[in-house]
Amino acid sequence: MLLLSLLPAAAAGTLAEAWEAAETHGTELPLAHEQRLQTDAQRTQSWALLGPKVVAGADYTINEYEVTLDFADMIPEELAPLLGDTTTEPIVLNKKQYLQWNASVIQPIFSPKGWAQFAAAGPAAKAGREGEAGQRAAIKQGIAAAYYGVVVAREGARIAEGALTSAQAHQKLAEQQVTVGLAPPTARLQAEIAVSRAERDLASAREGVTKAQEGLARLTGWSVDEPVTLPEPPTLPYAGTAEAEERALTSRPDVLAAVYRERAATYGRWASDLDWLPTLDGRFTYSYNENTGFSDDKTMWMVVFSAKWTLWDGGARIGAEQAAASQRRMASLAAERARDMASEDVRKAWSAYETAGKSLVAVEHESELARENLRLSEVAFQAGTITFLDLEDARLGARASELARLQQRMSRDLAALTLLATTGDL
């Protein structure tokens, strides 16, 4: 096949390898991954509302003076002889300097709002993962378009080079014919115009190659001259539009993300309602204090149960409930819209895929006709009924038809990839 002979013979990077390269060398996919990690972190943060907390603290105090208590100083002088020896060891109430530290474990026992917020964090994290999957599919589409663009642009440049060579040969022949009087002077002008047009087309084609190569290199980290090869046509696992729509409603990332956000918003509404209930915490504290005062024990522990019930907060919770209810309704509407858009996108993508497929069949037929014309031209040239330039025109036409087939093949394959993306299978 002529098209295969025009593709690079060197080891080429495949489309799958381009997708893999984008994972490590590009910036879009790593950015999408980091955004997903941020949503995962919200689940960890919500666990802090329910899990135990360990708090430790320490102080080292230096006072201006030491405070002591001596009971002997409290006995009146007139009673001292009657009581005998009243000498006692002074009690230090406040040392000059001392160390104290404590460690506490605080565990929420009854926190209904915390449980609702923790429940909401789960679907929110899943929505983040689906969002990353959706961005990944969109980026893969862009990489595929850039990859195919390089294949087509390079082939177009080769066609343009051949067209310029043919135009220059025509110009040389026209000059010879005009010189010997076999053609009017306008033939020379027409040949010059054809060469100028071919040069302009070649410059435009080379610019297209540069743009296509730079775009693929930016997405994948490959060098701009990386060899590429025409990928195999994507396979569609759907029998029809209805099956593709059903697949989209159950697997498409943005639809799933909207469903998870709706669920998270429902839990968020519950959290606002449950905020009216009291909370109960338990705390265990172990402390050490060198400033013992009347006690001889430097260490002690305590268990504390603390209940809190805010009966009125000035209307803040009422406002929070209204906002949560609105967010819940918005999430529900967004989920419905996502499903409607998914169905519409599938129908459009399926129509585009079918149209591209029919166009490819037509272009393939045109390519077959161009190859047959080339075969007949080669026979005619051998028989001496046409010139070498006529044969070159036939070859150029065959190459141009192959380029058109390649371009339409690209359109069909990209339409298939778009359809796979709209159903969540890319």
Side-chain angles (χ1 to χ4, degrees):
M1 181 183 264
L2 178 60
L3 173 61
L4 296 179
S5 66
L6 298 176
L7 295 177
T14 64
L15 178 57
E17 290 172 344
W19 285 338
E20 292 176 1
E23 294 276 357
T24 55
H25 295 287
T27 58
E28 284 81 0
L29 289 178
L31 281 173
H33 179 66
E34 291 300 326
Q35 292 173 355
R36 195 265 294 175
L37 291 180
Q38 293 178 17
T39 60
D40 285 348
Q42 295 177 2
R43 186 172 178 84
T44 304
Q45 294 172 345
S46 65
W47 173 246
L49 300 173
L50 302 174
K53 299 179 182 64
V54 179
V55 183
D59 296 300
Y60 189 81
T61 304
I62 301 177
N63 292 308
E64 182 180 359
Y65 48 82
E66 185 176 77
V67 179
T68 61
L69 175 62
D70 191 345
F71 288 103
D73 295 338
M74 301 174 63
I75 301 175
E77 295 181 358
E78 59 271 16
L79 297 179
L82 299 176
L83 297 175
D85 186 10
T86 58
T87 303
T88 59
E89 185 70 24
I91 299 174
V92 179
L93 298 179
N94 195 18
K95 286 186 174 183
K96 171 70 174 177
Q97 56 188 28
Y98 60 90
L99 170 69
Q100 62 178 359
W101 59 264
N102 65 80
S104 299
V105 178
I106 305 171
Q107 173 62 57
I109 298 175
F110 182 70
S111 179
K113 179 182 179 181
W115 279 109
Q117 290 178 333
F118 179 74
K126 292 180 180 179
R129 286 192 287 271
E130 294 298 335
E132 179 189 9
Q135 293 182 51
R136 188 178 300 273
I139 292 169
K140 289 176 71 174
Q141 279 186 273
I143 293 173
Y147 186 94
Y148 275 95
V150 172
V151 175
V152 173
R154 288 177 178 174
E155 181 62 19
R158 283 191 286 269
I159 296 294
E161 290 172 357
L164 177 59
T165 301
S166 178
Q168 289 171 340
H170 274 290
Q171 182 184 25
K172 189 174 297 184
L173 178 62
E175 290 176 350
Q176 294 174 353
Q177 291 176 336
V178 170
T179 301
V180 299
L182 296 178
T186 56
R188 181 188 293 115
L189 296 177
Q190 292 173 349
E192 291 179 359
I193 293 174
V195 170
S196 176
R197 184 184 298 113
E199 289 175 344
R200 187 170 64 252
D201 292 343
L202 177 58
S204 177
R206 287 174 175 171
E207 181 183 1
V209 170
T210 300
K211 291 181 178 180
Q213 291 180 157
E214 290 292 343
L216 184 61
R218 177 179 57 83
L219 293 171
T220 62
W222 285 351
S223 62
V224 293
D225 57 351
E226 179 76 19
V228 294
T229 184
L230 185 66
E232 291 294 325
T235 301
L236 297 179
Y238 323 113
T241 310
E243 185 177 340
E245 280 190 57
E246 182 179 357
R247 179 67 176 173
L249 295 178
T250 57
S251 302
R252 181 162 153 163
D254 61 336
V255 174
L256 295 178
V259 171
Y260 287 133
R261 293 191 188 99
E262 181 182 13
R263 193 174 304 168
T266 300
Y267 290 135
R269 171 65 191 275
W270 292 358
S272 297
D273 294 339
L274 294 174
D275 197 24
W276 290 92
L277 296 177
T279 59
L280 177 63
D281 296 335
R283 176 169 59 89
F284 172 81
T285 300
Y286 183 85
S287 62
Y288 171 87
N289 194 341
E290 292 180 344
N291 191 30
T292 57
F294 289 102
S295 174
D296 292 332
D297 295 328
K298 293 183 179 181
T299 62
M300 67 173 294
W301 59 266
M302 68 177 69
V303 175
V304 178
F305 294 97
S306 176
K308 181 180 178 181
W309 193 1
T310 303
L311 299 177
W312 179 246
D313 57 2
R317 283 175 294 188
I318 295 177
E321 280 185 311
Q322 294 173 344
S326 176
Q327 291 172 357
R328 168 67 179 80
R329 292 191 295 270
M330 289 177 61
S332 179
L333 292 172
E336 182 179 354
R337 182 180 62 181
R339 287 188 287 267
D340 292 342
M341 290 183 63
S343 297
E344 179 182 349
D345 290 345
V346 167
R347 291 192 295 270
K348 289 181 178 178
W350 190 276
S351 177
Y353 172 73
E354 288 186 332
T355 301
K358 294 176 181 178
S359 298
L360 178 59
V361 172
V363 172
E364 286 177 340
H365 178 64
E366 294 172 7
S367 181
E368 291 176 0
L369 295 177
R371 288 195 297 271
E372 178 64 16
N373 179 62
L374 174 60
R375 187 188 67 81
L376 295 176
S377 297
E378 290 174 343
V379 173
F381 176 73
Q382 293 174 359
T385 58
I386 65 173
T387 66
F388 176 75
L389 292 178
D390 295 329
L391 178 60
E392 284 299 305
D393 287 342
R395 286 175 178 169
L396 184 61
R399 290 169 65 93
S401 68
E402 287 294 327
L403 176 60
R405 193 179 79 86
L406 179 60
Q407 291 173 330
Q408 192 56 48
R409 163 73 187 280
M410 178 186 73
S411 299
R412 196 277 310 273
D413 289 0
L414 292 180
L417 292 174
T418 299
L419 181 57
L420 288 172
T422 58
T423 58
D425 288 326
L426 183 59

